Amino acid sequence: MRRTVLKSLLATAVLAATAGLPAVQAADKEIVIGGSIPMSGVFAFAGIGIHAGIQDYVKMVNDAGGIEGHKLRYVPEDSAYKVDQSVAAFKKITSQNKVNFYYGDSTAFSKTINPELDRAGTMIMSGASFATELNDPKKYPYQFIAGPDYTQQFGILLRYIAKEKPGAKVAFVYSDTEFGRDPIESSRGVAKEMGLNVAIEIMTPPGAVDVSTEIAKLRRARPDFTIFHGYILGPIPEFIGQARQLGLDTKFMGTFWTMDNSTVMQMGDVAEGFMGVMPYNYYYDTATPAPMLDKIRAMRPEYQNVPYIQGFLSAMLYAESARRTIAAGKEMTAANFKAALNSIENFDTGGLIGVPITIHGNTIPVGRIYRADTKAKRMVPASDWIVLE
Amino acid sequence: MRIGTARSSYRHDESLFDSRTQHGWLAVLAVALLGFPFLADEYWLYLACLVAINIASTTGLNILTGYTGLVSLGQAAFMGIGAYTVAALEQKLGTPVLLNLLAGGFVAMLGGLVVGLPSLRVKGLYLAIATIAASVVLHFVFANWHAVTGGHSGITVAPAEILGVSFDTSFRLYWLFVPITILMVLGAANLFRTRIGRAFIAIRDRDISAEVLGIPLLRYKLLSFGLSSFYAGVAGGMWAYFFRVVTPESFPLIMSIFFLAAVIVGGMGTILGAILGAIFMTMVPEALKLIVGWLPLSADATLILSPVRTIVFGALIVGFLVFEPLGLQEIWRRIRRFFHLWPFRA
């Protein structure tokens, strides 16, 4: 009896050990996309969308025969939006697969993993971060952002404001976090160049709920436009609600992570007229021909959030970079992938972005201003596409 | 089986490892630790380094909370002090790695001594709140003392370098972190065979009685805070060399809760408890991921199971608190006790 138990224990241990060994993959003729995706934790709302976006694009490409005879393979791992777990996921995926492209979940992860990317020299990475710091091809040679960085997002908003109301008074309201502070310093100069007056800058503590003192400051400054940054939702509705009660006539604006349709509509009635910058077309945009959005809508009839579009576009850019590298007969290295990515000019994203895109540095400096229409429960375009030089 | 270990001298009675069986198992552990880096891939080496750092910090917190009975939620902030000290020294002065780690420990120790001052007047939950307040203050300092901390962007740390060898992979860092952690754990284990360690335990059990026995409370409580923070500082320094970017958001309050949970789950007031607790808290989320990965599920099922995994992790912690309040070390002790007489007892 004891021997039987021992034998079964041994068999279980061997099974467990072999299951833990690196999976032997068909290494050739495939392009691997790894990802530290925040499927759980505070950022899960974005991670779930990103995951679905990458997954759908990979499926679409593989169904169409792959890229120059190579199949795409997507290997995600949940990061719970924690740096140590994100790095663990990276180590796990890269030690078990020959990874060519990687999706990271945060600015902290992008900064932490950068030396690894430089040393490996085999993959390039994009991610959920739009941090201005990452838009430095010298410091981050193997990374890119699938959209405009935060300073460029502010630049697009400020350009819109300068056109709508030259010499307008602007307020910056931001959270006291790395995310919140990111574009503030650099955007002061941009505003000045455009002849705008930054009337006040208000920094709120992370997770602030009571904003009455900040509202009093905003009331004294009487800005024409107020730009929020460094938040997903709270305390923006409280801000707008109290400002409206005080009769403050200012237009409120936000940046990418506030601008998903569902996030803005969660604000309730105060969302009416809320504006912001969005580098992509929304899932439901049909004003201009967008074959890729048509395909997405055919695959997923229900609304897909903007992180989905971001994940989808990221995968598209990985694939395009790989396609150009393979077509040129070059080796699949990080340097060649990045050079191929930077050779993208006037590239048609199939309507994910309303204008053809060009990637010269680490970003795609394009965006459009949208305005909330609470009756239609949709974000509607308030400007044409704005491309920064 | 462990028999014939009658103690024949006080020296033997006081020894840390008192039987041949123990020495044998320690030798096995040493061989395993030496051989592990040559067998494991980058992922397991990364986890081993992370576990080593967490064991060092948890052991520190265990000195304060487990042995001295002073609850602290400031461990992550003290790690932050150590990490920033190491990062700043590495960036501005380029001083040797081991000196940087020691400096990280000592600067954190100074921080701990200051934060420990209220411990003479407040205990329990009140002290926990005081340490949270200290964390908030330290976070503010990290975020705003631009000249030293680099503000919100933080500091990028160059790889540790000793005698021309760059410690830039998990394999190499393993050889730096694991010996340091072993030294720290042995140091803590020995501490409780000295007057100081026994004074800590006396304070935990009843501080008024301890004072009556002639233990100066202020000195020993501060010493406990200082030692605990020193451990956190060195762990933070290792953390800085490991992740190579230190920002104010690297050491959130939740991280302090993580270490406190590790102490409680492992078993308060035991050296083994801190080790097991740190391993449990670090490895169980990864183990759950591995288990989910082994299941023949589609990528969508993985997505659905992600929050389930978090719930299972939480349930496991609660389960331990309810069914084994003495922690993992008690389970370990029971297993050991069973094998002491095995196979002679049915």
Side-chain angles (χ1 to χ4, degrees), chain B residues 299-330:
Chain B
D300 276 339
T302 313
L303 190 69
I304 296 161
L305 282 175
S306 288
V308 174
R309 235 182 34 235
T310 315
I311 294 166
V312 170
F313 182 44
L316 277 173
I317 296 176
V318 175
F320 271 113
L321 296 181
V322 173
F323 297 108
E324 191 46 271
L326 294 175
L328 289 166
Q329 63 84 29
E330 181 59 22

Side-chain angles (χ1 to χ4, degrees), chain B residues 195 198 202-203 206-216:
Chain B
R195 177 188 159 82
R198 283 192 279 266
I203 291 170
R206 189 77 184 150
D207 55 354
I208 295 169
S209 310
E211 195 165 25
V212 171
L213 287 170
I215 295 166

